[in-house]
Amino acid sequence: MDMLSEGLSGALRLLLGFDPDFTAIVAVSVLVAFTSTSLAALTAVPVGVLIAQRRFPGRGGVIAVLNTLMSLPTVVVGLLVYSMLSRNGLFGSLGLLYTRTAMVIGQWILAFPIVAALTVATMEGLDTRVHSTAISLGASPMQAFLRLLSEARFGIVAAVVAGFGRVFAEVGVSMMLGGNIKTYTRSITTAIALETNRGEFALGLALGIVLLTVALLVNILLALLKRRTP
Amino acid sequence: MTAYRLNNIEAGHNGFSLTIDDWTVEPGSMVAVVGPNGAGKTTLLNVLAFMEKPKRGTLSFRSRPVDYSSPRSLLALRRNIAYLAQNPCLFNMSVRRNIEYGLRLRGVPRNIIGEQVKQILEELEMTELEHRNVRELSGGEVQLVALARTFVLHSSVLLLDEPTGNVDKARIGIVERRLAEMNESDGVTVIFTTHSEVQARRMADSRIHITAGRVAVN
């Protein structure tokens, strides 16, 4: 209980005091997670929509693989990308290891199957009459498709938010590909791991509270968005 | 010029087949399509709405054969008619936005859309629904909104699949009156399906009966 109250007061102190190290840690987490989620949204949403709309051989297998990859262990992704970005790896010459770019790549791989699989599920869950109703009201095929996307908007946003939640809270990729470099690649989760190892439980808890607060804010934003749309 | 001419048509799928040897619909007529469930009424309306391509035969609209090979031509044809499907689907947005949808697709100016939506809401006595989300509506209200979305297009041809199904008794009269006005005053061609012979006799100036995919023109 002492540890929790210390953590809370520590979090408040850090938040209100705008501690530069603390701010840098939060900024790295938000920046990297936001970038990787945006990339995942730009790539995985079209892929998910395409899979949902088209019938092709092996479609069921593709969906099964995407669903399986949703629970991809972060350390496995970290290890795979590490092997490619390390000096002797396929892309070693790019010098990306221990950079924010490497973290973004790893997190994108984590978020992609989540956003794509949830987009497929959303699109397949839509009322099958939406498309034909739009066509019967005079929509062109493209306008009818946009109508479908619009009907799926909350599901797609929820898919992207789920992707954000996954990458914002992950530690394996950030640790292995970012290297936990202070003010550059140290994120909230890697900082928590470090502070816990050092025995600084209060700071670790404070960072954990920030992590949960950001997740809560994202979800509140989503709920508000849903309520505002008629 | 005829509104529709169907010649030697066969349509349907999943083992069901609707056949029509020869049927003509005159412009400005009010036609009731009567028949039991599964007889082929919806298939016929889908063909007339250019939503389903017949397996054989010729469909002419305004005396010109329909060209199913041209998506652009089909789109233009669909924008000439207004179609209410059975168990209509409303989009997940407000009642007002649903009613506006077809008008927006047709590029109607915003101020005119506003006036027309207001007018149709008043005519169907449903102004209180304007800003409601469709998820909050009852089955009867959904049907009314779908009717409003169809009527507001002011098309020269109205195709209505069970237009008063789900509508409460008090409002059936309002819908029928509005249909009669559009037909008589504006010369709109109305083709509607119904289970009720009584409704067909009350509203239509001609009836066709469909039984197990065969059409009998009265």
Side-chain angles (χ1 to χ4, degrees):
Chain A
M1 207 53 203
D2 275 355
M3 203 165 76
L4 192 64
S5 58
E6 265 182 49
L8 281 170
S9 58
L12 272 177
R13 254 198 325 275
L14 288 167
L15 279 169
L16 299 176
F18 293 103
D19 176 71
D21 286 349
F22 177 78
T23 313
I25 289 169
V26 176
V28 167
S29 271
V30 172
L31 184 72
V32 172
F34 183 79
T35 310
S36 60
T37 310
S38 302
L39 280 176
L42 285 172
T43 51
V45 170
V47 167
V49 169
L50 213 64
I51 293 170
Q53 292 287 298
R54 307 274 176 194
R55 296 290 174 270
F56 53 88
R59 181 175 173 275
V62 171
I63 293 173
V65 168
L66 278 178
N67 287 335
T68 308
L69 292 179
M70 282 172 79
S71 48
L72 198 61
T74 58
V75 283
V76 172
V77 175
L79 188 65
L80 285 173
V81 180
Y82 183 94
S83 68
M84 284 191 274
L85 297 184
S86 59
R87 196 173 288 270
N88 296 323
L90 196 60
F91 302 108
S93 58
L94 297 175
L96 290 175
L97 197 60
Y98 302 140
T99 63
R100 289 177 186 170
T101 307
M103 292 165 76
V104 167
I105 293 169
Q107 290 192 354
W108 171 74
I109 294 172
L110 278 179
F112 185 94
I114 294 174
V115 179
L118 293 180
T119 301
V120 173
T122 299
M123 295 298 289
E124 289 193 328
L126 286 179
D127 190 329
T128 50
R129 298 170 300 168
V130 170
H131 189 265
S132 61
T133 300
I135 293 285
S136 76
L137 286 165
S140 66
M142 178 50 78
Q143 287 167 327
F145 177 66
L146 292 176
R147 184 69 251 148
L148 263 181
L149 276 189
S150 177
E151 291 290 299
R153 61 195 182 276
F154 293 130
I156 290 175
V157 170
V160 174
V161 169
F164 181 83
R166 165 83 157 147
V167 299
F168 193 65
E170 69 80 26
V171 63
V173 162
S174 299
M175 190 67 90
M176 294 174 82
L177 302 177
N180 204 15
I181 302 166
K182 193 176 176 185
T183 71
Y184 181 52
T185 58
R186 183 166 297 167
S187 66
I188 293 178
T189 52
T190 57
I192 289 174
L194 181 73
E195 298 305 332
T196 308
N197 278 341
R198 282 178 177 168
E200 295 281 348
F201 298 117
L203 183 58
L205 259 178
L207 286 164
I209 290 163
V210 172
L211 194 79
L212 283 173
T213 308
V214 172
L216 181 69
L217 287 176
V218 169
N219 280 289
I220 289 173
L221 197 72
L222 181 67
L224 286 176
L225 187 76
K226 204 168 176 176
R227 195 182 297 172
R228 272 177 63 104
T229 311
Chain B
M1 190 172 71
T2 57
Y4 284 103
R5 173 115 196 241
L6 289 83
N7 194 256
N8 200 24
I9 290 278
E10 184 184 343
H13 40 77
N14 297 335
F16 173 79
S17 182
L18 170 77
T19 54
I20 306 165
D21 297 330
D22 190 27
W23 182 43
T24 303
V25 179
E26 297 300 331
S29 56
M30 170 93 86
V31 183
V33 181
V34 190
N37 282 336
K41 303 190 296 292
T42 296
T43 303
L44 174 61
L45 252 62
N46 277 335
V47 169
L48 297 176
F50 318 110
M51 297 290 288
E52 185 173 333
K53 182 186 175 186
K55 285 186 266 192
R56 67 174 165 84
T58 310
L59 170 68
S60 299
F61 180 69
R62 290 180 180 157
S63 302
R64 296 179 68 172
V66 175
D67 178 9
Y68 288 97
S69 64
S70 161
R72 185 172 290 207
S73 150
L74 283 176
L75 179 63
L77 285 171
R78 287 193 194 110
R79 287 185 178 173
N80 270 297
I81 58 148
Y83 176 42
L84 172 77
Q86 196 179 25
N87 301 320
C89 160
L90 297 183
F91 304 131
N92 185 13
M93 48 194 186
S94 69
V95 166
R96 184 192 175 88
R97 295 282 303 274
N98 264 281
I99 297 173
E100 287 176 352
Y101 184 72
L103 294 171
R104 284 171 183 264
L105 292 175
R106 286 158 176 77
V108 177
R110 193 177 283 260
N111 59 329
I112 295 175
I113 289 179
E115 285 168 20
Q116 293 190 343
V117 171
K118 190 166 176 277
Q119 190 185 344
I120 196 69
L121 286 167
E122 283 169 4
E123 282 171 1
L124 295 181
E125 299 181 12
M126 48 187 279
T127 48
E128 75 283 3
L129 300 182
E130 183 177 356
H131 299 294
R132 298 254 296 272
N133 188 290
V134 295
R135 284 174 297 185
E136 301 162 9
L137 304 180
S138 68
E141 287 169 337
V142 166
Q143 183 75 10
L144 274 178
V145 175
L147 277 165
R149 188 172 64 180
T150 313
F151 289 173
V152 81
L153 297 174
H154 293 286
S155 297
S156 59
V157 175
L158 267 179
L159 303 169
L160 309 168
D161 202 350
E162 306 275 359
T164 53
N166 287 331
V167 177
D168 59 71
K169 279 184 182 166
R171 277 188 161 124
I172 287 179
I174 297 170
V175 173
E176 289 188 357
R177 220 167 22 250
R178 180 73 196 114
L179 273 174
E181 278 169 15
M182 285 191 284
N183 176 245
E184 287 160 18
S185 311
D186 308 331
V188 174
T189 307
V190 182
I191 303 173
F192 68 97
T193 68
T194 179
H195 289 287
S196 165
E197 188 69 42
V198 177
Q199 187 183 41
R201 285 178 188 275
R202 186 170 64 232
M203 292 179 65
D205 42 46
S206 70
R207 285 168 286 133
I208 65 166
H209 288 83
I210 306 186
T211 313
R214 296 293 304 179
V215 174
V217 181
N218 287 42

